[in-house]
Amino acid sequence: MADLLSFFLLLLPLSFAKPVTDGKEFAAVERLQASLAQTTSYEAAFTQTVHSKGMGPEDPSTGTLSVIKPDKLRWEDRTTLVTQILNGDEYWELTENKRRKSRTVTYQKGVRKHLSRTSFSVLSGSGKFQDFYRVKLVSESPTEAVLELVAKALPHESLIAKIDKNGYVLRSLTTETPDSKVVLEFSQVRRNPRFEPERFRYVKQDGDVFQSRKE
């Protein structure tokens, strides 16, 4: 479930403790905040590449991310055949086995309490982004703005977000630790699409093997 935490950054209502001093830079951040505030749902295709600093990059995986603010998310990886679904206080992880024509279904209830100090609180509006991250505008061009995000609790971990200024949407997100780097690239971005409720629910199929996690 750790993967889900980073992807909430797509729609966070960014808020900064102190504005940057340069007026032009602050204007770019304000535009991004306004764009995100008007977004209630989101869908994008993704390509994820994991770089191990000891072994090099793994083969990229591709899939689709769907989000409804403040607490619904579906991460569907077509390469690994793993789907993660978050709906309020419930979490499902579906792992498909094509050879056996079955799926392993992992279910957990009560996940909100594990996320309340980070992504959930910011996403729901009850927390502020600056409570968890130090934010710096690294660079800006006519087409792109680059933000560096450093977690206050884990200063050795950083995020680099590249924002497309044509519509102010996230185009890539890079997470880096001393041991690895994960690069997420987004395309075919759709803002405020309408979703069927079933997209954020577990729908039973023949051959499902059900498991559960303790809260």
Side-chain angles (χ1 to χ4, degrees):
M1 187 168 53
D3 287 347
L4 290 174
L5 302 181
S6 295
F7 309 137
F8 276 133
L9 291 169
L10 283 168
L11 295 173
L12 293 178
L14 295 177
S15 178
F16 299 88
K18 296 180 181 179
V20 291
T21 55
D22 186 276
K24 182 180 178 181
E25 292 182 349
F26 184 59
V29 173
E30 287 284 276
R31 288 284 303 275
L32 175 60
Q33 290 181 264
S35 174
L36 295 176
Q38 295 170 5
T39 301
T40 59
S41 62
Y42 193 100
E43 187 169 68
F46 70 81
T47 299
Q48 176 180 254
T49 306
V50 179
H51 299 258
S52 171
K53 294 186 178 178
M55 301 179 64
E58 299 179 0
D59 291 336
S61 59
T62 60
T64 303
L65 170 67
S66 307
V67 176
I68 297 178
K69 294 169 65 176
D71 57 5
K72 293 181 174 64
L73 182 147
R74 182 184 180 100
W75 173 265
E76 191 167 355
D77 191 320
R78 290 189 294 273
T79 303
T80 63
L81 302 180
V82 175
T83 298
Q84 298 177 81
I85 301 172
L86 190 66
N87 190 327
D89 210 27
E90 298 182 289
Y91 169 78
W92 293 267
E93 184 175 297
L94 317 175
T95 305
E96 185 177 352
N97 187 319
K98 284 191 172 182
R99 183 174 61 84
R100 296 183 178 181
K101 298 181 180 180
S102 65
R103 291 190 310 179
T104 299
V105 180
T106 303
Y107 172 73
Q108 186 174 1
K109 190 175 182 179
V111 296
R112 190 184 300 274
K113 65 183 179 182
H114 300 296
L115 304 178
S116 61
R117 292 182 58 83
T118 53
S119 300
F120 253 97
S121 62
V122 178
L123 192 62
S124 66
S126 61
K128 293 183 178 180
F129 197 80
Q130 74 267 22
D131 293 339
F132 310 107
Y133 295 95
R134 295 183 177 91
V135 183
K136 177 183 178 182
L137 184 60
V138 177
S139 64
E140 183 184 6
S141 72
T143 59
E144 182 182 81
V146 180
L147 297 175
E148 180 184 22
L149 316 171
V150 179
K152 292 182 178 180
L154 298 169
H156 61 283
E157 296 187 4
S158 64
L159 305 173
I160 299 293
K162 293 186 177 181
I163 311 298
D164 186 343
K165 293 174 69 175
N166 181 20
Y168 283 81
V169 294
L170 184 65
R171 285 303 182 190
S172 72
L173 182 67
T174 301
T175 309
E176 189 162 8
T177 69
D179 300 320
S180 65
K181 180 171 71 171
V182 179
V183 179
L184 272 166
E185 298 172 293
F186 300 97
S187 61
Q188 302 174 39
V189 177
R190 298 172 58 214
R191 181 178 289 155
N192 297 325
R194 296 180 64 88
F195 294 112
E196 294 296 328
E198 289 75 15
R199 184 154 187 78
F200 301 96
R201 297 174 185 165
Y202 161 63
V203 179
K204 182 176 173 57
Q205 296 182 6
D206 292 339
D208 281 357
V209 178
F210 195 81
Q211 299 178 349
S212 63
R213 294 176 179 172
K214 293 182 180 180
E215 295 184 16

